[in-house]
Amino acid sequence: MEELSISINNIWLLVATFLVMFMQPGFAMVEAGFTRSKNTANILTKNLVDFSVGSILFWFIGYTIMYGDSIGGFIGMPGLFINDNGIGDYANKTDLMFQTVFAATAATIVSGAVAERTKFNAYIIFTVVITVFIYPISGHWKWGGGWLDQLGFLDFAGSTLVHSVGAWVGLAGAIVLGPRIGKYVKGKAKAIPGHNLTFGALGVFILWFGWFGFNAGSQLGAAGNDNTLALGHIVLTTNLAAAGGAMAALFTSWAKYKRPALSLALNGALAGLVAITAGADIVNPGGALIIGLLAGIILVFSVELFDQVFKVDDPVGAISVHGVNGAFGTIAVGLFATEGGLFYGGGASLLIAQLIGVVAVFVWAFGLGLILFKTIKATIGLRVSKRIEEEGLDVYEHGESAYN
């Protein structure tokens, strides 16, 4: 029976791994659809590089930095070239693969925030740094048994540890890069529409589908009644939050702009998914729906805030979806968790731990992101020339076009 349980857990974790890997084309379709056709090949290449480079480097060293024996609660003991044939509740190599696809997700989020104006060689450099340094170290703080874990901080599947990390690095990149040419005219934001909302919608549905593996896979088991009940609960809360986010963003945009905007509704679904990721296992279905609804509303106002007030050009809304709502969802655990949440009589201790975790990860990811992007800018250069940006990165950076 023990071997059967291990096999069931292992198979489920592999299936979840494949679902999360399938989120990569989802991210690619969203980013390509929400940007202009002249940069599509560049965007698809970046997404391919994210997963390929991330897979190699996380196996090479990133996994041990995140999950190795803790050094002062800050970083795992590095080790190289993992070839661990051990078995616990599942195969250790299966765990490596599951964590690898999470690492690739964090790197991919940055791509959207810096789209349409970044040199490809610069992009490869910061993908490497995120995968082997920024992401695994902050991930170790919780999932590797580091100082945030000891504090009592909760982030079930990575609202902060995956999504916000990628978004805060992306925010740093967008600031250092500056806006796209033509984005701001006499200080006023000008919309630069994406070329294919069909791609965007398809990408969101793929991500929604893959998110069931992202969240339910983080249960790290399927055998036994406890796991069976937990998996059903997690996929329910995940789905309700996504649906709530989509509808809240749709109706908020309808009320605010007099039109039900598809692009905002699509990002609202993603905002709901990001927000519920921290607490999918410990909020009840009603709480999940409320979190999703609030995430959709926050999304609409956050996009406008970054676009028009802060003058940060984020072509796909990655900062608002993954950063702002990743932080919101993590904090919401301190309110809506059925065990320890403020609204359930748990006091403020969990909420305080969540706030500390959100701030610490922001300082880490955004601070190192600024250093990284400014260093690249001062050395090999970060941004393409005016001519390349105006005519498109596809032909000049890659020598080919997505459309012929």
Side-chain angles (χ1 to χ4, degrees):
M1 288 300 295
E2 182 181 359
E3 287 189 358
L4 179 60
S5 294
I6 292 171
S7 295
I8 292 171
N9 291 336
N10 199 69
I11 290 169
W12 164 240
L13 200 56
L14 285 172
V15 170
T17 298
F18 306 150
L19 287 170
V20 179
M21 190 273 174
F22 191 55
M23 292 171 70
Q24 288 293 327
F27 280 117
M29 290 296 96
V30 168
E31 187 180 347
F34 283 5
T35 52
R36 291 167 290 185
S37 60
K38 63 184 179 180
N39 299 311
T40 302
N42 173 259
I43 285 164
L44 297 178
T45 307
K46 288 192 301 179
N47 279 267
L48 176 65
V49 166
D50 286 334
F51 189 78
S52 301
V53 170
S55 294
I56 295 169
L57 292 179
F58 206 68
W59 163 75
F60 172 66
I61 191 172
Y63 180 83
T64 57
I65 290 175
M66 193 162 178
Y67 291 102
D69 293 338
S70 189
I71 303 174
F74 180 76
I75 186 174
M77 178 64 72
L80 303 179
F81 305 110
I82 299 169
N83 188 24
D84 184 353
N85 290 316
I87 296 177
D89 291 333
Y90 39 81
N92 292 350
K93 285 179 179 175
T94 298
D95 185 60
L96 167 63
M97 279 303 304
F98 185 64
Q99 303 304 334
T100 294
V101 293
F102 272 58
T105 297
T108 297
I109 291 166
V110 183
S111 176
V114 300
E116 301 200 290
R117 67 243 200 234
T118 307
K119 284 184 174 180
F120 185 68
N121 59 350
Y123 184 83
I124 294 175
I125 291 172
F126 63 74
T127 294
V128 169
V129 175
I130 291 165
T131 305
V132 301
F133 191 74
I134 297 176
Y135 169 74
I137 288 180
S138 55
H140 177 81
W141 297 350
K142 166 59 185 176
W143 292 339
W147 70 273
L148 279 180
D149 187 50
Q150 296 165 23
L151 186 68
F153 173 77
L154 300 178
D155 190 357
F156 179 63
S159 288
T160 286
L161 297 175
V162 178
H163 295 278
S164 285
V165 166
W168 298 144
V169 174
L171 172 61
I175 290 171
V176 175
L177 270 168
R180 291 167 292 174
I181 295 170
K183 175 62 181 177
Y184 295 100
V185 180
K186 296 180 180 180
K188 292 186 177 181
K190 177 184 176 184
I192 302 179
H195 83 283
N196 196 323
L197 274 178
T198 303
F199 278 3
L202 175 62
V204 168
F205 279 116
I206 290 173
L207 288 170
W208 193 330
F209 175 71
W211 227 288
F212 294 123
F214 200 96
N215 284 359
S218 295
Q219 179 66 17
L220 302 179
N225 290 340
D226 289 346
N227 282 326
T228 299
L229 291 171
L231 291 176
H233 179 84
I234 291 164
V235 296
L236 175 60
T237 56
T238 299
N239 195 57
L240 286 172
M247 290 300 95
L250 182 75
F251 285 102
T252 301
S253 68
W254 200 343
K256 188 172 176 58
Y257 305 118
K258 312 305 178 187
R259 294 288 188 275
L262 173 60
S263 58
L264 287 172
L266 292 170
N267 265 343
L270 298 182
L273 288 163
V274 169
I276 198 59
T277 295
D281 63 326
I282 52 172
V283 303
N284 64 32
L289 179 58
I290 292 170
I291 289 171
L293 290 168
L294 291 173
I297 295 169
I298 290 169
L299 179 280
V300 175
F301 287 95
S302 178
V303 166
E304 184 176 285
L305 181 69
F306 279 98
D307 194 47
Q308 299 185 16
V309 178
F310 296 153
K311 300 291 192 295
V312 174
D313 184 13
D314 176 7
V316 304
I319 297 163
S320 296
V321 170
H322 300 276
V324 174
N325 275 293
F328 161 67
T330 306
I331 294 167
V333 171
L335 302 173
F336 290 94
T338 55
E339 294 183 12
L342 184 64
F343 293 163
Y344 290 83
S349 59
L350 177 57
L351 179 60
I352 292 170
Q354 298 303 99
L355 288 167
I356 291 172
V358 166
V359 172
V361 171
F362 171 79
V363 171
W364 169 258
F366 180 71
L368 287 183
L370 280 178
I371 294 170
L372 173 62
F373 283 107
K374 286 185 176 182
T375 301
I376 295 173
K377 183 178 181 179
T379 51
I380 67 169
L382 186 60
R383 184 165 182 153
V384 297
S385 69
K386 183 174 184 289
R387 178 180 179 181
I388 293 175
E389 184 176 344
E390 289 179 337
E391 296 187 20
L393 278 67
D394 285 4
V395 173
Y396 286 94
E397 286 276 278
H398 304 280
E400 54 191 347
S401 175
Y403 303 98
N404 294 301

